[in-house]
Amino acid sequence: MRIAVIQFPGTNCEHETLVAVKECGMDGEIFRWNRPEQELCEFDGYVIPGGFSYQDRVRAGVIASKEPVMATLREEAANGKPIIGICNGFQILVESGILPFGDGVRLALAQNVMIRGGEIVRRGYYCAWTMLRHDAEERRCSGSYILRRGEILSIPIAHAEGNLVSSDKKVIERLIEDDQIVFRYCSERGDIISEFPVNVNGSTENIAGICNPEGNVLGMMPHPERAFFAWQLPWKHPRVRGYGPGRIVFESMRRYIEERRL
Amino acid sequence: MKVIGLADSELESSLRKAGIGMSVSEARSIATILGRDPTLAELFCYDAMWSEHCSYKSSRAVLREFLPTEGPNVVLGPVEDSGIVSIDDEWCVVISHESHNHPSQILPNEGAATGIGGIVRDVNCMGARVVATADPLRFGDPYGRESSRVRWVAEGVVDGIWQYGNALGVPVIAGDVVFSRCFDYNCLVNVVAIGVVRRDEIIRSRAPPGSGEKGYDVILVGKPTDSSGFGGVVFASDTLREEEEEANRGAVQIPDPFLKNVLFKANEDLFRLVREEGVEIGFKDLGGGGLTCASSEMGAAGGYGMELDLDMLHVAGEFPPEVLCIAETQERFLIIAPRELRERILRIYNEDWDLPNVYEGARASVIGRMTIHDRYIVRHRGEEVVNVPIKHLTGGIRYERAWRPRIRNLLEPAVKMPEDLNMVMLELLSSPNIASREHIYRYYDTEVQGNTVIRPGEADAGLIAPVRGKDFGIALSVDSNPFYGRISPYWGGATAVAEAMRNVAAIGATPSTLTDCLNFGNPEKPEAFWEFRESVRGLADAARNLWLKGYPDQPVPIVSGNVSFYNESPEGAVDPSPVIACVGIMKEISKAITMPLKESGDEVYLLGPRFDELGGSEYYRVIWGITGANVPVVRFPLERSMIYTVIDAVDREILRAAHDISNGGMAITAAEMCMLSDHGISIDISSLGDMRPDRLLFSESSGFIVEVVDGAEQEFVKIARSYNLNPVRIGRVSTGGIEIERDGKMLVRLDLEDARDAWSSGLREAMR
């Protein structure tokens, strides 16, 4: 089972993402953007990691989304192979139109706007640990394949543009109807509260991650590779050996590939 | 340019007209050595190399006299871009520490960003992977005469740091911020970077042995050279004057984290190539003094000369040779490598990582070769524009600066006992110098690389585990208190070292090495130079007397540092600010502890007797508006014992939380341990002697407050006694608020929510 971790100029999370892939028993390698894109077809799954591809020029993710490797990934997505885009990877998937419906750019990940009590209390970059509620059905999405609906994970975010918006209300309605909303920002008890700090970036419906209609492509703003080991967790968690909540995303990918093969 | 035969006044005016900062006597000495009039390009090269920034001409004698730079763990002392100490037999920490003060005052965003850009190059060029940064910042009074400028600078600096560091992908794991009127016109923006490297894979910033005989290539990689930062080191070596602000903007460099990110990855491939080939190369970043500084220092360090051809340089336009030589265009590195590797090195940068398409005009170019003669020769358009003895150029000059104590009439005041200590506590908690740093650190990507174990806000030091599969971690902390430095530069230096070491000990890590970034006024003024000298003496005494744990009588070595003079405006100089960074080694990251209280019922102990030391304290400053005179001093054996006790107790896993006592004294220290926690604290100070309660609670004498694991109190006391300490049980973790009593009388009773509100709003308001 081989996973390609796609590296654009400006990507900066490829190494820890590859560690997560390998730790889950998958083979993997970092795939530089200017390698022949046909070589991508040999892989069983793909992760587009976080960073600032092409310096966020024009808009975060937009230049990378035009690279030949993304055209290949679109084909591989249509073949049902799993793709997980994390942070800038999510932005690239949205800009390439692979998410949400595979038919063009329907969403934007806009600048974070933190709102509390009807007032904007902060804007822009924010790095913090957040609580996520898994809102999709079990086995709905490649990157949350073995998570049950309603399970809660603690995973950090670090971005300036993760505020998911659409000018077309129907897009959000369709995401809800088709069970494409995979993760939502929630309180420690799992409640969806629309205000900061629970809704950490102002995202519509507290959306932190979505999948395509087929479920094989996942885009999420939080970084599961940074919550992969227990020692990476904040001070409140006991400092123990073993794994953290982010592992389940990569483990899900492996299980998804295994079951698809059967 | 004519030097010989000109009268002093003529020479002075022609130097200034050309934009050269050196003195008349310096120019004459160059003409004497060359035996002819120097060219314009030569004068500019010398001007950069002999600037305070590059040559340490004022400071070097003092640094040599006092600083302990050797120790059993030192792999490379302060001779190249970064210092290196060993972690174990295999791995080393690489550390560098610099200032970017002048540029940040003029253009805060670009100035601060360039500071990070430069420091990470310093660490990377030793062959290391850059794994963390820390940002000690000093801004003016946000409520004072220059409040709008101060806030503009503070906001711009923080933006510059996050915009650069986050994009590059290096986490910020430590830092501090102090606001004081003395920084109104001169902010201080220091930056520390650390990296990790295997001991046998260190790359040196010098021409390798044999490179002259074999005529190795000199290869420049990165951004095309332009005129940005031209004269930057000369600008950094002068006092800031408002009327020159416009002209000085041109001396600030323009950073690019995106290109740096790609360059770092290409550099990794270069390192891999030379490891596989088993050859030694020279590798150095281009910083202050540009191409001339990097190339001549590498040549001189290897004992060789070199010949460079500026026509082979990739450039971003037409520039005269002196600009190409010393402009400080960012994101560039210099390689000295055998000719056999030329094609493969060029391929890494120009094809694999496709620099020309990633950034317009960026690439790797062969620009010259090494020679066995001792000259530094530069050609431009077929003409020799520089031909000087290389060691004369890099040797710089020395000044013996005069010093004279600065007399300040500081007295210990007679203040009355406040009626309501609750109000005092709330005011201190909301002071911008004490309040939560969350407003700033949420801008920083503290998690990138996935190595972070303890992040800003959680403890006195940050901790990362940068090598997967290894149990060890690297702790990092920074410290300097300008208010102590104002009263006594000696104790300002010593307490900065002691506190930085206490900070890493508070999570359980053992102090391993120190760096110093010495920020002072104009060294040509005897009082400023005295402050510098005293601070260096103080910090050196502390480093020498606090000992590397396990090696009695051996100092904690200072392996890297930087001197920043001329932090002065017509309004005066900054208070003496020797900023210290301390690296600690944590053998097992799983044992590290944090600051918040964990379990109600646990007993809380105080380490460190309270002395009447309120000089420079937050209490005096915030509540009474005075400085005072009784500055905290470092009692070396006591300090050492406290640090060792905490390290040993954490190693035995009998502490649940620890916090060192500093700004705000023991009362604020205790309160801070409740801020992120769900727990409160009940303290009884009846057994701490009869000092007046406000003095006892807010004195900033050093110490620790620790939460001991239930049932392990005896063991903790035993460890402390083995170091001749008497820890005092002062209270318990509670389910209520913050309570402090004495002899049955409640002195402080604060609701946690009220305390948190004050603490969490102070910095946000100051930076709004």
Side-chain angles (χ1 to χ4, degrees):
Chain A
M1 196 180 297
R2 289 177 68 214
I3 306 298
V5 177
I6 313 291
Q7 179 187 48
F8 293 103
T11 297
N12 66 21
C13 302
E14 63 270 47
H15 294 288
E16 54 269 38
T17 304
L18 182 62
V19 166
V21 165
K22 288 186 169 171
E23 194 75 26
C24 285
M26 298 182 279
D27 276 340
E29 65 187 77
I30 292 171
F31 193 97
R32 204 174 54 221
W33 82 99
N34 55 1
R35 271 171 65 177
E37 60 268 21
Q38 312 83 283
E39 291 176 20
L40 264 185
C41 306
E42 296 157 20
F43 292 86
D44 303 295
Y46 310 90
V47 184
I48 312 176
F52 289 69
S53 62
Y54 289 100
Q55 203 169 19
D56 285 358
R57 288 177 198 158
V58 186
R59 270 197 315 278
V62 71
I63 311 260
S65 74
K66 313 291 187 224
E67 287 283 353
V69 289
M70 287 310 296
T72 308
L73 280 195
R74 176 189 293 277
E75 289 164 21
E76 295 302 320
N79 292 334
K81 287 187 188 173
I83 302 177
I84 299 175
I86 300 165
C87 197
N88 189 228
F90 184 15
Q91 294 165 336
I92 294 169
L93 287 171
V94 167
E95 288 293 345
S96 67
I98 296 174
L99 286 177
F101 309 128
D103 60 354
V105 181
R106 308 290 293 273
L107 293 170
L109 289 157
Q111 188 195 39
N112 299 346
V113 181
M114 291 72 164
I115 298 167
R116 183 157 54 188
E119 277 183 34
I120 295 173
V121 293
R122 190 178 169 120
R123 285 175 191 277
Y125 201 92
Y126 206 70
C127 175
W129 282 72
T130 59
M131 303 303 293
L132 301 181
R133 194 177 77 188
H134 181 242
D135 266 16
E137 196 58 41
E138 198 176 348
R139 302 163 69 88
R140 169 75 178 96
C141 165
S142 63
S144 66
Y145 204 63
I146 53 175
L147 269 173
R148 285 184 300 278
R149 198 196 287 274
E151 279 194 68
I152 296 171
L153 312 176
S154 174
I155 294 183
I157 60 150
H159 60 254
E161 289 96 18
N163 172 10
L164 186 141
V165 291
S166 178
S167 54
D168 183 355
K169 261 194 175 171
K170 290 193 183 117
V171 170
I172 305 296
E173 284 166 14
R174 187 173 153 194
L175 287 176
I176 296 169
E177 273 168 31
D178 289 354
D179 199 20
Q180 282 180 253
I181 297 175
V182 180
F183 294 114
R184 279 193 162 102
Y185 301 110
C186 68
S187 71
E188 294 202 2
R189 293 166 44 196
D191 301 323
I192 305 299
I193 300 165
S194 63
E195 296 215 318
F196 181 78
V198 169
N199 186 345
V200 71
N201 55 17
S203 202
T204 308
E205 294 278 332
N206 286 39
I207 292 172
I210 58 171
C211 62
N212 62 346
E214 295 74 25
N216 60 317
V217 181
L218 166 69
M220 61 191 294
M221 289 313 297
H223 285 269
E225 80 282 9
R226 300 177 180 187
F228 192 90
F229 298 101
W231 57 260
Q232 293 170 317
L233 302 184
W235 69 272
K236 273 197 179 180
H237 302 262
R239 213 169 288 286
V240 291
R241 287 172 191 277
Y243 295 107
R247 181 177 200 252
I248 202 138
V249 171
F250 298 93
E251 190 66 27
S252 286
M253 186 183 207
R254 186 174 68 84
R255 293 280 288 278
Y256 176 83
I257 295 171
E258 280 170 357
E259 296 204 6
R260 239 184 108 239
R261 280 180 175 171
L262 295 175
Chain B
M1 196 176 121
K2 193 165 171 53
V3 171
I4 300 168
L6 283 190
D8 282 2
S9 61
E10 290 172 312
L11 182 51
E12 170 90 31
S13 92
S14 76
L15 286 170
R16 297 307 156 251
K17 211 182 283 171
I20 293 166
M22 72 172 61
S23 69
V24 166
S25 63
E26 287 170 0
R28 286 203 195 289
S29 76
I30 292 163
T32 306
I33 286 285
L34 297 181
R36 58 172 166 80
D37 281 329
T39 66
L40 192 62
E42 284 170 339
L43 280 178
F44 270 103
C45 287
Y46 273 104
D47 200 30
M49 293 301 294
W50 289 11
S51 67
E52 191 68 60
H53 187 90
C54 287
S55 75
Y56 294 83
K57 60 189 172 190
S58 300
S59 59
R60 196 175 299 212
V62 172
L63 302 179
R64 284 252 164 89
E65 181 179 350
F66 295 115
L67 292 187
T69 59
E70 292 181 9
N73 58 342
V74 174
V75 177
L76 188 69
V79 291
E80 290 184 9
D81 294 285
S82 301
I84 305 179
V85 292
S86 59
I87 300 169
D88 56 19
D89 293 340
E90 188 183 4
W91 287 92
C92 300
V93 186
V94 181
I95 184 164
S96 191
H97 188 169
E98 273 201 357
S99 63
H100 231 238
N101 304 338
H102 281 51
S104 302
Q105 181 69 30
I106 302 282
L107 281 177
N109 190 308
E110 292 79 357
T114 310
I116 304 189
I119 203 81
V120 295
R121 278 198 309 275
D122 284 335
V123 170
N124 177 246
C125 74
M126 312 306 291
R129 185 157 50 85
V130 186
V131 291
T133 59
D135 298 282
L137 307 174
R138 303 289 179 269
F139 301 123
D141 181 353
Y143 299 103
R145 58 194 166 170
E146 291 288 347
S147 63
S148 55
R149 182 204 290 250
V150 164
R151 287 162 190 243
W152 175 74
V153 170
E155 191 189 347
V157 164
V158 170
D159 282 350
I161 291 170
W162 78 254
Q163 286 162 5
Y164 196 99
N166 296 359
L168 181 63
V170 178
V172 175
I173 63 160
D176 69 346
V177 191
V178 181
F179 296 87
S180 166
R181 186 185 160 97
C182 76
F183 305 114
D184 276 359
Y185 302 100
N186 289 94
C187 69
L188 302 184
V189 175
N190 287 189
V191 57
V192 182
I194 57 174
V196 289
V197 66
R198 279 176 203 270
R199 189 190 280 256
D200 55 0
E201 294 178 355
I202 293 168
I203 291 179
R204 298 289 301 268
S205 300
R206 63 167 187 213
S211 58
E213 290 81 356
K214 292 179 192 150
Y216 276 26
D217 283 335
V218 179
I219 302 173
L220 183 68
V221 302
K223 205 166 165 180
T225 301
D226 54 25
S227 64
S228 63
F230 178 61
V233 291
V234 180
F235 154 59
S237 308
D238 201 356
T239 307
L240 277 185
R241 287 179 204 89
E242 205 161 349
E243 60 272 19
E244 291 163 12
E245 202 169 298
E246 203 53 52
N248 287 338
R249 286 211 177 110
V252 180
Q253 309 89 333
I254 301 157
D256 193 307
F258 167 66
L259 178 57
K260 171 76 57 61
N261 169 301
V262 179
L263 276 172
F264 272 15
K265 290 170 191 177
N267 290 348
E268 274 177 40
D269 284 356
L270 171 74
F271 301 157
R272 194 174 306 123
L273 172 70
V274 301
R275 277 203 299 274
E276 283 168 9
E277 292 295 318
V279 297
E280 187 180 347
I281 62 166
F283 191 59
K284 189 173 170 71
D285 81 298
L286 274 70
L291 173 62
T292 290
C293 182
S295 57
S296 64
E297 283 189 354
M298 275 217 281
Y304 296 112
M306 62 173 67
E307 297 180 6
L308 305 178
D309 187 345
L310 296 178
D311 298 328
M312 293 159 80
L313 209 64
H314 49 286
V315 293
E318 294 256 325
F319 301 102
E322 60 272 18
V323 171
L324 296 176
C325 281
I326 67 164
E328 296 176 7
T329 306
Q330 293 292 291
E331 326 307 357
R332 297 182 298 165
F333 292 92
L334 199 70
I335 305 167
I336 295 177
R339 289 181 186 186
E340 308 86 81
L341 293 185
R342 180 190 293 175
E343 295 312 318
R344 278 188 282 172
I345 290 173
L346 294 180
R347 190 165 65 226
I348 287 172
Y349 292 94
N350 297 340
E351 290 169 37
D352 296 351
W353 292 94
D354 205 11
L355 289 186
N357 282 317
V358 162
Y359 190 99
E360 194 177 348
R363 59 182 306 108
S365 306
V366 179
I367 63 161
R369 63 185 184 91
M370 301 304 297
T371 64
I372 48 170
H373 61 56
D374 66 347
R375 310 294 289 185
Y376 181 75
I377 297 172
V378 180
R379 294 194 180 83
H380 182 245
R381 307 269 154 84
E383 258 181 63
E384 209 171 78
V385 292
V386 178
N387 185 343
V388 300
I390 194 164
K391 289 206 164 152
H392 183 245
L393 178 63
T394 59
I397 37 174
R398 301 284 173 273
Y399 283 115
E400 283 289 331
R401 300 285 187 197
W403 69 82
R404 184 167 61 232
R406 192 188 294 279
I407 309 294
R408 293 185 197 263
N409 291 312
L410 295 170
L411 295 171
E412 195 57 21
V415 298
K416 60 180 197 299
M417 174 70 194
E419 279 170 25
D420 184 353
L421 285 182
N422 286 331
M423 289 307 295
V424 171
M425 289 287 289
L426 290 176
E427 271 200 63
L428 289 176
L429 283 170
S430 67
S431 157
N433 290 342
I434 284 180
S436 166
R437 271 48 199 139
E438 184 174 15
H439 175 77
I440 292 179
Y441 66 68
R442 291 285 176 224
Y443 282 111
Y444 299 157
D445 192 343
T446 55
E447 313 289 326
V448 65
Q449 298 188 5
N451 297 327
T452 306
V453 183
I454 296 178
R455 45 197 59 73
E458 292 190 342
D460 289 320
L463 180 67
I464 51 168
V467 182
R468 296 295 160 92
K470 296 280 180 184
D471 287 333
F472 68 74
I474 301 174
L476 182 62
S477 166
V478 296
D479 189 70
S480 180
N481 186 323
F483 310 112
Y484 303 166
R486 183 189 304 168
I487 299 172
S488 162
Y490 177 86
W491 288 117
T495 53
V497 166
E499 188 181 342
M501 287 174 57
R502 279 203 305 280
N503 286 341
V504 304
I507 67 168
T510 303
S512 165
T513 189
L514 301 163
T515 62
D516 56 347
C517 189
L518 305 163
N519 307 276
F520 292 85
N522 179 351
E524 297 157 45
K525 295 184 179 172
E527 288 86 0
F529 198 70
W530 174 79
E531 288 177 338
F532 165 72
R533 200 171 184 281
E534 282 294 290
S535 290
V536 173
R537 199 166 66 81
L539 71 92
D541 279 356
R544 213 172 254 118
N545 288 292
L546 294 179
W547 300 348
L548 195 61
K549 191 165 190 286
Y551 299 89
D553 290 324
Q554 295 266 20
V556 179
I558 298 171
V559 296
S560 182
N562 175 248
V563 180
S564 172
F565 284 129
Y566 301 97
N567 292 293
E568 184 159 346
S569 71
E571 312 292 319
V574 298
D575 282 333
S577 298
V579 176
I580 300 297
C582 181
V583 166
I585 304 300
M586 189 81 212
K587 273 198 187 130
E588 293 170 66
I589 54 166
S590 59
K591 288 185 177 177
I593 63 167
T594 55
M595 176 196 300
L597 299 172
K598 307 285 188 309
E599 299 268 344
S600 55
D602 277 353
E603 292 193 348
V604 173
Y605 281 78
L606 169 73
L607 275 177
R610 301 293 85 204
F611 298 95
D612 188 345
E613 292 177 326
L614 287 115
S617 66
E618 279 295 294
Y619 173 66
Y620 269 6
R621 215 175 56 81
V622 171
I623 305 299
W624 300 103
I626 48 179
T627 300
N630 289 352
V631 68
V633 304
V634 186
R635 297 161 182 88
F636 297 125
L638 171 66
E639 190 75 40
R640 204 164 55 219
S641 297
M642 293 192 296
I643 288 171
Y644 290 0
T645 297
V646 172
I647 294 170
D648 287 357
V650 173
D651 186 54
R652 303 271 270 278
E653 300 182 84
I654 58 170
L655 299 185
R656 269 199 258 266
H659 187 14
D660 94 291
I661 300 175
S662 59
N663 291 17
M666 69 171 280
I668 293 298
T669 300
E672 284 172 341
M673 296 175 80
C674 306
M675 291 296 96
L676 291 183
S677 165
D678 300 326
H679 302 287
I681 193 167
S682 296
I683 290 177
D684 187 336
I685 56 168
S686 305
S687 61
L688 294 180
D690 56 3
M691 204 190 306
R692 209 172 75 186
D694 58 332
R695 307 191 82 77
L696 182 75
L697 290 174
F698 302 120
S699 164
E700 298 183 4
S701 302
S702 77
F704 289 93
I705 293 181
V706 297
E707 174 187 351
V708 180
V709 170
D710 188 26
E713 297 84 4
Q714 293 296 323
E715 192 180 349
F716 174 69
V717 170
K718 209 170 127 193
I719 293 171
R721 294 238 163 97
S722 76
Y723 290 112
N724 297 316
L725 288 185
N726 265 319
V728 184
R729 200 185 73 80
I730 53 166
R732 274 180 197 283
V733 180
S734 74
T735 53
I738 299 163
E739 295 177 339
I740 303 175
E741 64 170 292
R742 180 185 215 170
D743 300 328
K745 186 179 166 239
M746 201 58 80
L747 299 168
V748 172
R749 178 176 271 158
L750 279 180
D751 189 65
L752 276 187
E753 281 308 306
D754 294 340
R756 259 186 218 129
D757 281 349
W759 178 75
S760 56
S761 64
L763 184 64
R764 199 173 59 225
E765 295 297 327
M767 291 188 65
R768 190 188 284 272

